[in-house]
Amino acid sequence: MNKELIIVDDDFPFRERLSRSMQKKGFNVENFSNSLETIKRINVKKFDYAIVDMKLEDSSGLELIKKIKDKKVNFEFNK
C-alpha cells in the first residue's frame, strides 16, 4: 500500500529532487512551495506524512505544522 506524502519547500530544485526520490521509494507525493496552498490541499486530502521546510517564504514551517497538526500527519523536518 502506498503512503501519501506532502512536501513543502520553497526551493524548487530541491523539492523536485526529493519528490522523485520519495516516489521511487513507493510514496504518492504532492509538493507545494508555500503554506497557503498546503493548507488548502490538506483540507481536501489526507496525507500520511509531511516533510516541511522550517523557513518558508510565507510563514515558518513551525507555524504550518501547528496548523496541520490536527490532521494527524507524521512530520519530517527539513532545515
Side-chain angles (χ1 to χ4, degrees):
M1 183 166 114
N2 288 341
K3 295 287 186 174
E4 299 295 327
L5 170 67
I6 191 168
I7 297 173
V8 186
D9 197 304
D10 50 11
D11 180 340
F12 179 77
F14 173 77
R15 190 175 71 239
E16 289 298 308
R17 284 191 313 271
L18 183 58
S19 293
R20 285 191 302 272
S21 175
M22 297 308 286
Q23 287 170 341
K24 289 178 183 177
K25 294 178 187 261
F27 287 88
N28 292 325
V29 179
E30 290 188 37
N31 64 70
F32 298 93
S33 63
N34 61 60
S35 293
L36 181 60
E37 295 300 318
T38 302
I39 291 167
K40 287 180 186 177
R41 187 62 178 140
I42 64 165
N43 284 328
V44 176
K45 181 177 179 179
K46 181 189 180 308
F47 291 88
D48 300 304
Y49 298 94
I51 298 174
V52 180
D53 186 354
M54 293 291 95
K55 296 179 184 176
L56 297 169
E57 290 182 11
D58 65 342
S59 73
S60 79
L62 288 176
E63 288 177 22
L64 177 59
I65 289 169
K66 288 176 187 176
K67 290 178 183 176
I68 61 178
K69 187 175 180 182
D70 293 339
K71 302 294 180 183
K72 298 186 183 190
V73 174
N74 297 310
F75 292 95
E76 292 293 328
F77 295 95
N78 176 19
K79 296 181 182 177

